[in-house]
Amino acid sequence: MEIPSKYEPQAAEAKWYAYWLEKGFFNSKPDHRPAYTIVIPPPNVTGVLHMGHMLNNTIQDVLIRRARMRGFNACWVPGTDHASIATEAKVVQKLRAEGIKKSDLSREAFLDHAWEWTHKHGGIILEQLKKLGASCDWNRTRFTMDEKYYEAVIDTFIDLYNKGKIYRGERMINWDPAAKTALSDEEVIYKEVNSHLYHLKYKVVGSEEFIVVATTRPETILGDTAVCVNPKDERYLHLHGKKVIVPLVNREVTIIGDDYVDMEFGTGCLKVTPAHDMNDFMLGQKYNLEIINMMNDDGTISTAGGMYIGQDRFAVRKQIALDLEAAGLLIKQEPYANKVGYSERTDVVIEPRLSLQWFVDMKELSEPALENVMNDNIKFFPPKFKNAYRHWMENIKDWCISRQLWWGHQIPAYYTEDGKWVVAKTREEAEQKIKEQYPDYTGSITQDPDVLDTWFSSWLWPIGVFDGFYSEDEVSYYYPTTDLVTAPEIMFFWVARMIIAGYEYRGELPFKNVYYTGIVRDKQGRKMSKSLGNSPDPLVLIDQYGADGVRVGMLLSSPAGNDLLFDESLCEQGRNFSNKIWNAFRLVRGWEENTSDIEQRPAAAVAIHWMNAQLNATIEKLNDDYEKFRINEALMTTYKLVWDDFCAWYLEMVKPPYGEKMDSQTYAATIDIFEKLLTVLHPFMPFLSEEIWHMLREREDGASLCIAHWPSSTNESSPWIEGFEEFSQVVIGIRNIRKENQIANKEKLVLKMLSTQGAASDFHPAIEHLGNIESTEWVSEKPDQCYSFIVSGREFFVPFTAQFDAAAEIKKLNEELVYTEGFLTSVERKLSNENFVSKAPAAVLDGERKKQSDAQQKIEMIKQQIAALS
RNA sequence: GGGAGUUUAGCUCAGCUGGUUCAGAGCACCUGCCUUACAAGCAGGGGGUCACUGGUUCGAACCCAGUAACUCCCACCA
């Protein structure tokens, strides 16, 4: 059967993925083996696979596949996140396209739409991961709104509430007036915008004097309840304690002094609007100021504003500037660039807003989470992220967990009509509690309409996926999990909080290692995004280059924590590598038919010794690379082992001369070696390796490379490896002589050597084979009429052929002489430096002395050669 | 504004406690080859004042100080 010279991945990929699933290789149940567990960072349930997922999941798959081969009970748990705000936004958008407004729907009807959407689009992303080769235990697929998981989230809320860790409080929060929900600080994006700085006149009461404040938000004067200056500011010393009149509003407010105010900025005079600015709120608390909430939840002016009621905040800003100007109270309006917070989801300007929200008190909860990262109980790769982590944890703020949305875990708090509340798992329980705590209350109760922040469910992920809140069966076996692979962007959102939850609910770390991947960027370094349209479709790439090709392409250039500048040519390189392996297989496969019981060629025997030694050494290095999570380095090591060592050297060494047969001993050894190579390739290139592995020998039904054993190795050094260095140099020397003197490869040469000593002596048969050497002769002195080259201080000679060009040869030798003499001078200068000789360690000194004598010897040799030629 | 990090070949990066190799890899590039596995290939080759300036040292890509550029995180001066 003719095997095509190009590897065609499509059929193989479909075939083997189906086979793996059918045989259940990815499924895991607790047993006697040690567990190796990874929980997937759950993608948004209705999300679509992008390049970030590709990188992230490829790394997880590499880790889990290798663990499986090393005999661990490997368990990779997949799943999806309900992503409350992102999913709800999509559903709202879809309904709007159909002419339905969310506000026209009941909560139940809206949730029906959301579930319908989830069922329709949910899990597409998991199907896409299968194309990549992800070896997840699909039977374990979890969703953060699964019944059990939902219950765990609610129970956690109740538990933390009962422990006094959750409280309800009035705080300044980031308000999204479009989505009408609170956002966490992390969901706010600050953008540089060109706005204006308005200078407004406030008249001092009982005086003809005015003071001037500078603000970018003149409309908020409706909520002003003080004016603040720096107490050290001499310009305003005489005004302390006096009152001023807020323009247009005509409210009298006090002038207070606080060194929060920067004297250098603007006029050094700050208007204080406690309800609409984080810092003003802080001042309001400190000086017990009145709080006037002059805005509605949609960003329009409220009745408390007193004027412009019902108008939008931005319209009012324009209008009030005109009105102030008309009243002669606007001194100037100058262009000013500042940063303004926008909602990550809806892209509208965030309104700091005073609101009643639920919070988690993080201070105490976070203590073990900080300590166990700093002491490396949980290791970060790369460790540089520990700094950022520590900084955040040491300054941790309470976590606002309520969101004014419907899609998610509804907060289990129930309110009476007069503003009392209880926290309870069910309505019945809540009614019971109300009865106990407020026996006089007779009205109805309503559940808090808000849902919990998405991360309040995903922080339970490593426990929740094993139903760890309700049964010890699995969680005690799989938890703590082994590795977490994620993006540094969500270190605070997710990683830190999982660690917190881990210690709070299991008294233990959730995972041992955290591997931070970089951000996938395009060639120009821009983050890949939908709006830029610079992200390739992963499925198209897989189709074009094969899943293995894409996997290799992604990993080749992505050290932990470094951004990956993605370029399709990386996939091309991956595809080329697939093809290289494929063709090596074709060559070996060709020998199968052409094997006989002839004696093993000496060159082949050498090759096998060396290749086995090299394999052993490389596996040692690979294990070390993996240990340190240097995945890209492990891949490069594997790449060179296969391409350079195996294809370029080994196969050429064992290849029978044209027209001759392969001996069965070498053939068998080659198959063994190939099999080991496929094993170490498998985590990176699961499909191709499996395909060839099955074609290499007869396999039983149910056999698979996925469950083959990772090859063992020892850390012994081998003389074969040392000898190979010299051997390859000799072969290259011969090739160079051929090339420089235009001697055809077909022409047989004689190689003469001055000494039989040297590490390469074992390789002589291989030198003859690869160099097309007719015979090797030992000579006691330098022969005449020869080309020569030096490897490791030993000289090799090839007798002249007809085309010999003596002048060119002399020129070459002279160049080498000049260089070597220069080198000698620098070594000798070092050795004649008394400080060096007296202070450098003996080993370094010996090294320099050896360099000196080697160089002297070499100079002598070159001089002789030049003399002989002239 | 605070903190962290980066700066080594055209590109992406290694370079572990300062010391055998006048600095390494992959890709890209140049030259020659359709040689009986592979042109998605083979053989050979060029290319770097290790950001800059000082210092410590017998010796610095590596340690120290300063300068510059870039990146990220945190804060969010109205």
Side-chain angles (χ1 to χ4, degrees):
Chain A
M1 180 186 69
E2 187 63 28
I3 307 173
S5 71
K6 303 253 189 292
Y7 170 59
E8 286 153 13
Q10 287 78 9
E13 287 175 8
K15 175 176 69 181
W16 293 116
Y17 205 85
Y19 179 78
W20 295 330
L21 288 186
E22 181 205 326
K23 301 295 179 189
F25 296 133
F26 305 156
N27 300 336
S28 169
K29 284 202 175 80
D31 63 19
H32 62 280
R33 292 173 298 167
Y36 191 109
T37 316
I38 298 178
V39 292
I40 205 169
N44 291 0
V45 62
T46 60
V48 176
L49 198 68
H50 59 64
M51 296 308 287
H53 296 123
M54 292 284 280
L55 173 63
N56 185 261
N57 288 291
T58 299
I59 290 165
Q60 293 175 72
D61 196 45
V62 168
L63 294 172
I64 205 81
R65 281 182 185 270
R66 174 163 173 274
R68 195 176 289 122
M69 296 171 96
R70 287 170 70 216
F72 288 96
N73 186 346
C75 181
W76 183 11
V77 184
T80 48
D81 190 296
H82 66 288
S84 67
I85 192 166
T87 306
E88 179 153 331
K90 276 185 199 164
V91 175
V92 167
Q93 208 176 351
K94 177 228 168 203
L95 291 174
R96 195 183 303 137
E98 293 167 9
I100 305 170
K101 286 204 294 200
K102 182 189 166 192
S103 51
D104 294 343
L105 294 172
S106 68
R107 184 185 192 104
E108 286 66 34
F110 178 81
L111 287 178
D112 283 347
H113 282 290
W115 276 110
E116 191 192 315
W117 174 269
T118 300
H119 291 138
K120 190 166 163 203
H121 299 275
I124 289 178
I125 193 161
L126 300 182
E127 289 307 310
Q128 292 177 313
L129 283 178
K130 294 178 182 172
K131 293 266 188 295
L132 182 65
S135 61
C136 301
D137 181 353
W138 298 108
N139 294 344
R140 292 180 173 276
T141 306
R142 291 289 190 278
F143 177 46
T144 50
M145 298 244 292
D146 284 345
E147 210 176 309
K148 266 272 179 63
Y149 200 104
Y150 192 108
E151 192 182 343
V153 172
I154 298 303
D155 281 341
T156 302
F157 181 97
I158 294 168
D159 178 67
L160 288 173
Y161 179 80
N162 290 338
K163 287 177 183 161
K165 296 292 183 199
I166 283 183
Y167 63 93
R168 194 166 180 233
E170 193 165 59
R171 285 294 161 91
M172 290 301 283
I173 45 99
N174 301 299
W175 182 260
D176 178 335
K180 293 189 193 173
T181 179
L183 297 178
S184 65
D185 292 344
E186 290 82 359
E187 288 163 320
V188 179
I189 297 165
Y190 287 89
K191 297 189 207 172
E192 186 90 29
V193 295
N194 296 317
S195 51
H196 297 275
L197 196 57
Y198 300 84
H199 292 250
L200 311 181
K201 283 165 82 173
Y202 285 52
K203 185 172 182 302
V204 178
V205 176
S207 152
E208 288 309 302
E209 201 178 342
F210 284 91
I211 62 168
V212 179
V213 303
T215 179
T216 53
R217 302 194 57 192
E219 72 279 13
T220 62
I221 62 170
L222 303 179
D224 280 0
T225 54
V227 165
C228 189
V229 295
N230 191 302
K232 292 192 206 81
D233 195 330
E234 296 185 356
R235 291 174 292 180
Y236 303 115
L237 278 178
H238 63 291
L239 294 173
H240 286 192
K242 296 218 164 137
K243 295 196 168 202
V244 291
I245 297 170
V246 179
L248 298 186
V249 184
N250 294 327
R251 180 167 43 240
E252 282 190 12
V253 300
T254 314
I255 298 176
I256 56 174
D258 192 282
D259 54 17
Y260 161 74
V261 176
D262 178 357
M263 293 189 286
E264 307 297 316
F265 187 89
T267 59
C269 194
L270 171 75
K271 65 191 247 352
V272 183
T273 322
H276 298 282
D277 182 279
M278 302 277 178
N279 292 304
D280 291 8
F281 178 73
M282 180 268 294
L283 288 172
Q285 297 275 300
K286 198 163 163 186
Y287 298 99
N288 214 0
L289 300 175
E290 191 190 348
I291 294 171
I292 299 173
N293 191 341
M294 37 90 35
M295 218 176 281
N296 294 315
D297 63 2
D298 61 355
T300 56
I301 306 302
S302 71
T303 48
M307 48 212 307
Y308 308 109
I309 295 164
Q311 296 181 45
D312 184 74
R313 51 189 170 150
F314 295 113
V316 174
R317 182 175 305 171
K318 280 191 187 135
Q319 187 56 47
I320 206 165
L322 295 175
D323 295 348
L324 283 162
E325 193 168 19
L329 297 167
L330 177 67
I331 292 181
K332 61 174 172 177
Q333 177 181 340
E334 58 186 9
Y336 178 67
N338 66 338
K339 282 187 174 177
V340 175
Y342 282 77
S343 165
E344 190 184 11
R345 304 294 173 184
T346 60
D347 202 38
V348 302
V349 175
I350 291 301
E351 196 58 52
R353 186 167 192 260
L354 205 52
S355 132
L356 260 184
Q357 302 288 338
W358 291 94
F359 292 86
V360 181
D361 177 353
M362 298 299 274
K363 196 75 208 151
E364 257 175 64
L365 284 175
S366 64
E367 279 164 13
L370 172 59
E371 187 189 331
N372 285 286
V373 168
M374 295 325 290
N375 67 14
D376 281 335
N377 278 346
I378 299 169
K379 290 198 183 69
F380 279 13
F381 294 91
K384 67 175 178 185
F385 287 112
K386 279 165 75 177
N387 281 327
Y389 181 84
R390 185 183 62 208
H391 189 256
W392 193 77
M393 291 298 261
E394 281 175 350
N395 299 292
I396 197 161
K397 294 194 199 140
D398 287 355
W399 176 15
C400 176
I401 51 170
S402 39
R403 296 289 182 276
Q404 287 63 46
L405 299 165
W406 284 344
W407 177 242
H409 308 80
Q410 192 174 0
I411 292 174
Y414 294 81
Y415 304 102
T416 64
E417 287 160 18
D418 54 353
K420 302 184 185 74
W421 74 81
V422 294
V423 166
K425 196 164 179 178
T426 60
R427 173 169 290 273
E428 291 70 41
E429 203 183 310
E431 281 166 352
Q432 187 61 36
K433 282 192 172 171
I434 292 280
K435 221 173 274 170
E436 285 163 17
Q437 290 173 29
Y438 310 105
D440 301 337
Y441 183 71
T442 52
S444 64
I445 59 170
T446 49
Q447 186 174 358
D448 192 316
D450 293 353
V451 298
L452 291 161
D453 179 13
T454 296
W455 303 103
F456 193 86
S457 60
S458 33
W459 74 327
L460 307 176
W461 191 242
I463 306 172
V465 294
F466 300 112
D467 291 336
F469 289 91
Y470 305 107
S471 155
E472 281 301 305
D473 291 353
E474 295 217 308
V475 75
S476 62
Y477 179 74
Y478 290 112
Y479 190 98
T481 68
T482 313
D483 304 326
L484 177 78
V485 180
T486 191
E489 307 170 282
I490 56 173
M491 181 159 66
F492 308 127
F493 283 115
W494 194 46
V495 180
R497 287 167 184 165
M498 277 193 288
I499 298 173
I500 291 170
Y503 282 101
E504 182 66 15
Y505 287 103
R506 302 290 312 167
E508 227 182 338
L509 64 178
F511 27 71
K512 298 179 185 112
N513 308 299
V514 184
Y515 178 100
Y516 291 102
T517 63
I519 296 166
V520 182
R521 297 174 179 280
D522 69 8
K523 237 170 141 180
Q524 287 106 25
R526 297 174 307 177
K527 201 167 161 176
M528 284 189 173
S529 72
K530 253 185 266 167
S531 52
L532 277 173
N534 58 349
S535 179
D537 180 344
L539 295 184
V540 172
L541 287 177
I542 288 175
D543 196 51
Q544 235 167 331
Y545 301 100
D548 293 326
V550 178
R551 290 166 67 111
V552 167
M554 304 227 57
L555 291 180
L556 268 172
S557 170
S558 58
N562 268 24
D563 287 357
L564 164 65
L565 298 191
F566 183 80
D567 182 348
E568 260 192 59
S569 69
L570 290 168
C571 294
E572 213 169 287
Q573 197 183 343
R575 179 202 59 185
N576 293 357
F577 186 40
S578 304
N579 206 44
K580 185 71 187 174
I581 301 164
W582 181 249
N583 277 291
F585 164 69
R586 286 176 66 219
L587 175 67
V588 172
R589 172 66 184 263
W591 294 337
E592 190 180 5
E593 309 293 317
N594 205 17
T595 302
S596 79
D597 283 333
I598 54 169
E599 207 178 311
Q600 186 176 43
R601 272 171 282 266
V606 170
I608 292 163
H609 277 121
W610 164 71
M611 190 67 215
N612 278 318
Q614 182 66 6
L615 250 173
N616 180 66
T618 307
I619 290 161
E620 273 293 299
K621 181 177 181 325
L622 279 179
N623 289 339
D624 186 55
D625 286 342
Y626 276 113
E627 191 75 17
K628 295 174 177 146
F629 287 86
R630 303 168 87 150
I631 310 288
N632 67 321
E633 209 153 307
L635 173 57
M636 189 43 72
T637 302
T638 310
Y639 182 90
K640 286 194 267 195
L641 175 72
V642 171
W643 200 308
D644 299 342
D645 298 335
F646 184 66
C647 294
W649 288 103
Y650 174 84
L651 289 178
E652 293 303 328
M653 282 154 87
V654 301
K655 193 191 254 180
Y658 185 57
E660 293 182 28
K661 286 181 178 296
M662 175 53 103
D663 68 278
S664 50
Q665 207 182 330
T666 303
Y667 179 74
T670 303
I671 298 294
D672 286 347
I673 289 166
F674 211 143
E675 206 167 31
K676 279 190 189 165
L677 293 175
L678 293 173
T679 313
V680 296
L681 275 167
H682 186 257
F684 298 115
M685 312 178 86
F687 294 110
L688 172 70
S689 56
E690 181 83 300
E691 170 85 348
I692 296 179
W693 191 81
H694 281 268
M695 294 167 94
L696 215 50
R697 310 181 197 268
E698 282 293 307
R699 307 284 178 187
E700 289 169 11
D701 183 46
S704 169
L705 182 54
C706 316
I707 50 167
H709 294 298
W710 185 258
S712 57
S713 66
T714 61
N715 59 4
E716 288 165 31
S717 66
S718 163
W720 288 101
I721 290 177
E722 202 184 318
F724 177 84
E725 281 308 305
E726 219 174 292
F727 151 76
S728 57
Q729 290 306 304
V730 174
V731 172
I732 288 167
I734 296 167
R735 284 177 184 157
N736 281 335
I737 285 177
R738 283 186 189 276
K739 183 150 187 163
E740 280 164 23
N741 301 288
Q742 294 168 339
I743 304 168
N745 286 328
K746 275 181 253 174
E747 192 176 331
K748 292 236 175 213
L749 297 176
V750 173
L751 183 69
K752 295 171 190 271
M753 286 172 263
L754 258 180
S755 150
T756 58
Q757 299 306 304
S761 55
D762 290 328
F763 280 87
H764 287 151
I767 292 174
E768 292 181 355
H769 183 63
L770 287 192
N772 195 19
I773 301 296
E774 190 174 7
S775 66
T776 308
E777 295 170 7
W778 309 108
V779 291
S780 53
E781 58 183 45
K782 190 200 155 328
D784 289 336
Q785 308 292 301
C786 280
Y787 308 107
S788 75
F789 59 92
I790 297 167
V791 173
S792 317
R794 300 168 61 216
E795 267 184 294
F796 296 82
F797 308 96
V798 176
F800 291 160
T801 54
Q803 308 92 324
F804 179 64
D805 179 351
E809 187 69 13
I810 290 170
K811 188 172 171 242
K812 200 185 93 191
L813 285 166
N814 270 319
E815 279 166 12
E816 212 175 332
L817 183 65
V818 168
Y819 166 81
T820 313
E821 281 171 344
F823 177 69
L824 180 63
T825 315
S826 81
V827 172
E828 285 180 336
R829 195 166 42 226
K830 224 188 231 183
L831 284 170
S832 61
N833 179 337
E834 218 163 280
N835 273 326
F836 175 71
V837 178
S838 60
K839 290 185 185 168
V844 175
L845 214 52
D846 286 351
E848 292 300 316
R849 294 220 169 94
K850 181 160 191 310
K851 274 200 247 173
Q852 183 187 27
S853 69
D854 285 354
Q856 284 165 342
Q857 219 180 325
K858 191 167 173 186
I859 288 168
E860 209 41 48
M861 280 191 240
I862 297 170
K863 282 181 175 164
Q864 280 175 27
Q865 284 175 27
I866 293 171
L869 282 171
S870 333

